[in-house]
């Protein structure tokens, strides 16, 4: 699937959105390193914070099917406003995707704005972040006064 088809897939995916509260449909299409594409839409909940975002639904589907490497995600909203992944979704993508993941945002007609994940989220929380914390905690346990 080429880049234009990926945007089209994101647009198609938003048709399945469940958005009785915001009425703001979002679709995402995530292309893996081997070219497989997984789509997602937002699925809202009466308990608002339980709502699932299109990008996380697509990512969950891909990971569930054994994919860990990604090269592009397309995102579209029903109003073609160039929606970008929210902060939470940026971090969700960063769990597996590298800084150079291309995030293609649908501006309507044939206009697409491309970002890299690194541009959208320059400082991710990563496995390394937690390793650093664990090391600091271990130093504190050893009595290092610099550690906290
Ligand atoms: N939404 C997404 O699906 N992805 C994003 O990253 C931005 C926000 C959804 C969540 C909610 O259902 C609606 O858009 C309005 O915030
Ligand atoms: Zn989100």
């Amino acid at each position: 699937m080429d880049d234009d088809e990926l945007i089209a897939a994101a647009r198609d995916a938003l048709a399945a959105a469940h958005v009785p509260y915001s009425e703001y449909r979002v679709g995402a299409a995530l292309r893996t390193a081997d070219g497989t594409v997984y789509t997602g839409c937002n699925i809202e909940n009466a308990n608002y914070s339980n709502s699932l975002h299109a990008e996380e639904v697509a990512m969950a589907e891909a990971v569930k099917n054994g994919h860990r490497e990604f090269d592009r995600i397309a995102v579209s909203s029903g109003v073609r406003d160039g929606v970008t992944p929210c902060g939470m979704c940026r971090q969700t993508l960063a769990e597996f995707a590298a800084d150079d993941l291309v995030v293609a945002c649908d501006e309507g007609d044939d206009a697409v704005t491309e970002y890299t994940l690194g541009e959208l989220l320059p400082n991710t929380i990563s496995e390394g972040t937690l390793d650093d914390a664990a090391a600091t905690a271990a130093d504190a346990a050893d009595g290092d006064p610099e550690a906290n």
Side-chain angles (χ1 to χ4, degrees), residues 15-27:
H18 173 69
V19 289
Y21 309 105
S22 74
E23 297 181 14
Y24 186 75
R25 293 175 180 276
V26 182

Side-chain angles (χ1 to χ4, degrees), residues 65 69 111 122 141:
N65 282 285
E69 288 178 38

Side-chain angles (χ1 to χ4, degrees), residues 34-141:
D34 74 7
T36 313
V37 171
Y38 292 91
T39 61
C41 60
N42 51 337
I43 304 170
E44 296 184 345
N45 190 282
N47 187 37
Y48 288 8
S49 61
N50 287 23
S51 298
L52 303 175
H53 292 199
E55 302 90 324
E56 61 179 334
V57 171
M59 171 69 85
E61 194 73 6
V63 172
K64 188 193 81 182
N65 282 285
H67 296 273
R68 296 286 188 278
E69 288 178 38
F70 305 100
D71 76 323
R72 192 175 183 94
I73 185 168
V75 187
S76 182
S77 85
V79 290
R80 313 275 191 263
D81 55 357
V83 61
T84 61
C86 75
M88 179 186 75
C89 286
R90 295 175 193 193
Q91 177 65 40
T92 296
L93 291 166
E95 178 67 16
F96 296 107
D99 276 357
D100 62 358
L101 176 82
V102 177
V103 181
C105 301
D106 185 6
E107 304 271 5
D109 299 322
D110 289 330
V112 172
T113 305
E114 289 184 4
Y115 308 88
T116 64
L117 183 59
E119 278 179 297
L120 294 177
L121 188 66
N123 293 302
T124 62
I125 297 175
S126 67
E127 217 176 329
T129 314
L130 305 183
D131 289 347
D132 291 346
T136 305
D139 287 349

